[in-house]
Amino acid sequence: MIGATPGLRHPPGCGDPAANFPMEFTLPLSSASSALIRRCGAALLLAAAFPLATWASAAGLPAGYTEEVLASDEGNNRVLTPPGGRRVVWREQRRQSWRMVVNGSAGKTYDTIGTPIFSPDGTRIAYAAEKDSDASARGRAGTVVVVDDRESAAFEQVTSLQFTGDGRHVAYLAGTNGGWQPMLDGRPLEPGPAGPGRAELRVNHDGTRWAYWTEDGIVVDGKLRPQHASRTGGERVDPVPQFSPDGRRLAYRVTQGVKTIVVVDDKESPAYESATEPTFSADSKHVAFFAIREGRYFVNVDGVDGPALYKLLGLGISFSPDGSRFGYFALPQDIPHYWLPPGTDPARVSGMFLIGGKFADGPDALKGAPLDRLSVWIERVTGPVWSANGEHWAYARPDGARTVVIADGKPGNSHPAISRLAIDAEGRAIYAIRQTRSWMMTRGGQPMGKPVDEVLATIVSPDGKHVAWVARRGDKQFVATPSGEGKPYDAIFPAVVSFNAAGTQLTYIAREADQFIRVTAGVAGGI
């Protein structure tokens, strides 16, 4: 059996940072331009971009502009584009069987196959497949893991399929002999027989550390921690263990009846009434979560409880890309937000703050000095987003019936609507504004390019100095920069828009009719 998702089964783990799940498109040939864009997991940071060479259809491809046909697909398959922009992948059904197709080359046929996962650089592919679905249904070994066309031994079930962060290893929980065994590259991570009730396997960046839950507690690097059995109301609670991006640190939440603790680097926090799952910064130096004690909300950063002045709104804390700052939306403790007395106008309830701090400020970073005071509801706020250097931040909030963008605490002009918010290294907010019948890209309040029917993605370079966007006009999509628009295609795959190391070429994958094309566009000048 492949996981336990109803319908077309696939291995769990969607959303695991190691999986690097790509964009998915469904493109009927009768209307290729009406692409259905869907993400699997958390938001994927789009890659760097510089100005495109201007498209000149009358003269053919301009200098530095090449097209390479990767594959053709005459069916209506959901297409995956792994990182790197060199592959297109889809699952293809042939009568009662399935096969994986990579750049038009079909793999081995199976009774069913799961959704594939990819290594971070997109060069490797893995998926679970049923060789004998009847055997799997009867609890016998019939499921294999396929990694780069190589099959593992057969198991009863497979779950928690994932690549390590360095892309060199594949890990999963294999169901065998009525129990579960953690596996790495087809070999058991631990000696001894498979055990019952194992769940939520996670491995670190290079596969040298691992953690998963059992009935008796969490197992870390092969050793059971019975003091950390997680249960509420007699039922198991299996929050996902979190390894830091560099793979050296581990954090997880343990719920035990009416109390909750958070364990970071083997050190237990005090007992709380409740706590969120811990989150690491991108540089692995910081970890944060929110907790409640005696009915009061506060943030804990790097093991230090902040003052119980504000309570969390939204999904959690947001770290800047360089790990130097953090921010979150919050309310003063005495203002309700999950319910309001009858007759209260939510628009008149003031007091939402964007709290933020710099880790360089030490303990002062936790004092919770508001960066901004809002009078709007969290569901109507977008952001915050950070510049690549961590020095600037922006978010969008309602301004009456319109929307305004706040950049570094300073509001811009209000607009009927905005989308695709980002911010560059100089603190200039980048976003599309809705006009009467079109959208216009702007940076720092100044228009860029020409009006379009829709903006599908904003792309900022890693140094935060350059910007591009994916747009639609009529039935065609294209990549644009302030200096020009690229060739229009039936569809563009925004998740794989990227530049070479020298920053002289922009590459992405496009679809035209039944062909998937890798586009290389030379850079013309600078932004």
Side-chain angles (χ1 to χ4, degrees):
M1 178 181 294
I2 305 171
T5 304
L8 181 60
R9 290 170 287 180
H10 56 81
C14 186
D16 175 19
N20 280 275
F21 285 89
M23 297 286 285
E24 298 186 26
F25 280 69
T26 299
L27 293 169
L29 291 178
S30 60
S31 180
S33 63
S34 60
L36 173 63
I37 304 175
R38 182 171 69 85
R39 287 191 184 276
C40 180
L44 179 65
L45 183 63
L46 297 176
F50 289 74
L52 291 172
T54 302
W55 171 244
S57 58
L61 293 176
Y65 200 110
T66 63
E67 294 179 323
E68 175 191 359
V69 177
L70 298 177
S72 296
D73 176 29
E74 297 179 356
N76 181 20
N77 295 297
R78 176 171 292 162
V79 177
L80 305 173
T81 55
R86 295 185 178 275
R87 285 178 161 186
V88 288
V89 180
W90 64 86
R91 296 179 297 181
E92 186 174 77
Q93 186 174 17
R94 295 286 179 172
R95 295 178 180 162
Q96 300 302 314
S97 60
W98 291 80
R99 59 185 184 177
M100 197 70 70
V101 181
V102 180
N103 281 2
S105 177
K108 187 176 178 180
T109 298
Y110 296 95
D111 287 359
T112 62
I113 55 177
T115 301
I117 63 170
F118 304 97
S119 59
D121 64 1
T123 61
R124 306 187 67 196
I125 180 174
Y127 56 93
E130 289 184 350
K131 298 183 69 174
D132 187 345
S133 57
D134 291 336
S136 297
R138 293 192 295 268
R140 298 203 303 265
T143 300
V144 297
V145 174
V146 182
V147 182
D148 300 330
D149 294 328
R150 296 188 297 273
E151 290 183 2
S152 70
F155 305 106
E156 296 161 14
Q157 298 184 61
V158 171
T159 188
S160 297
L161 182 64
Q162 61 201 270
F163 274 99
T164 53
D166 61 10
R168 300 178 62 184
H169 308 284
V170 176
Y172 51 91
L173 280 173
T176 179
N177 297 322
W180 294 91
Q181 185 76 275
M183 308 288 288
L184 186 74
D185 298 332
R187 300 183 299 274
L189 279 166
E190 303 168 358
R198 296 176 176 178
E200 295 293 356
L201 171 70
R202 287 296 181 269
V203 294
N204 73 340
H205 180 76
D206 60 4
T208 57
R209 301 193 65 192
W210 66 96
Y212 60 88
W213 292 96
T214 72
E215 293 283 356
D216 300 320
I218 192 170
V219 174
V220 177
D221 302 333
K223 297 180 180 179
L224 176 66
R225 298 181 178 181
Q227 73 273 26
H228 293 161
S230 193
R231 291 180 176 273
T232 296
E235 299 293 329
R236 277 179 57 187
V237 180
D238 296 325
V240 179
Q242 303 289 336
F243 282 103
S244 59
D246 65 6
R248 299 178 180 179
R249 308 180 67 188
L250 174 66
Y252 55 90
R253 182 187 65 193
V254 180
T255 300
Q256 298 175 327
V258 296
K259 73 171 185 177
T260 297
I261 62 172
V262 176
V263 182
V264 180
D265 299 332
D266 302 333
K267 183 178 180 180
E268 295 183 359
S269 72
Y272 304 119
E273 295 166 22
S274 182
T276 62
E277 292 187 14
T279 301
F280 282 102
S281 59
D283 62 3
S284 301
K285 294 180 179 179
H286 307 287
V287 62
F289 59 89
F290 291 89
I292 303 175
R293 183 189 294 122
E294 298 179 354
R296 308 285 289 181
Y297 297 67
F298 54 92
V299 64
N300 179 295
V301 179
D302 296 337
V304 179
D305 290 342
L309 302 176
Y310 310 99
K311 55 188 176 185
L312 167 69
L313 284 170
L315 299 178
I317 198 163
S318 172
F319 290 104
S320 62
D322 65 346
S324 66
R325 300 186 68 173
F326 66 92
Y328 59 94
F329 290 107
L331 275 176
Q333 298 281 353
D334 57 349
I335 295 182
H337 62 282
Y338 291 113
W339 62 272
L340 292 172
T344 303
D345 180 2
R348 299 181 64 83
V349 177
S350 180
M352 184 190 298
F353 297 148
L354 175 63
I355 310 297
K358 295 182 179 180
F359 289 109
D361 294 338
D364 289 340
L366 288 175
K367 289 185 178 179
L371 296 179
D372 193 17
R373 182 182 179 92
L374 314 177
S375 59
V376 295
W377 224 230
I378 187 65
E379 289 82 1
R380 302 172 65 195
V381 175
T382 301
V385 296
W386 301 89
S387 62
N389 57 15
E391 295 181 2
H392 306 284
W393 48 271
Y395 64 94
R397 63 170 172 84
D399 182 23
R402 297 166 69 86
T403 301
V404 63
V405 172
I406 311 296
D408 293 337
K410 300 176 181 179
N413 297 326
S414 63
H415 305 283
I418 72 103
S419 69
R420 312 304 177 188
L421 176 64
I423 190 168
D424 68 13
E426 297 180 14
R428 294 175 293 182
I430 305 163
Y431 54 91
I433 61 172
R434 189 177 70 193
Q435 300 175 320
T436 304
R437 296 183 178 179
S438 63
W439 290 80
M440 174 66 75
M441 281 299 295
T442 66
R443 179 168 62 175
Q446 300 301 311
M448 297 188 296
K450 301 176 181 179
V452 296
D453 294 338
E454 184 181 7
V455 176
L456 303 174
T458 297
I459 305 159
V460 180
S461 61
D463 61 6
K465 297 180 179 180
H466 310 279
V467 61
W469 58 96
V470 180
R472 178 184 64 82
R473 185 180 293 119
D475 290 335
K476 295 293 184 178
Q477 298 178 12
F478 53 90
V479 178
T481 72
S483 63
E485 296 179 356
K487 178 182 175 180
Y489 295 92
D490 287 342
I492 303 289
F493 294 76
V496 290
V497 177
S498 63
F499 260 75
N500 64 354
T504 58
Q505 290 181 331
L506 173 68
T507 60
Y508 54 92
I509 293 178
R511 180 165 185 167
E512 186 67 20
D514 63 348
Q515 292 186 329
F516 297 97
I517 303 166
R518 175 178 168 84
V519 179
T520 302
V523 173
I527 299 179

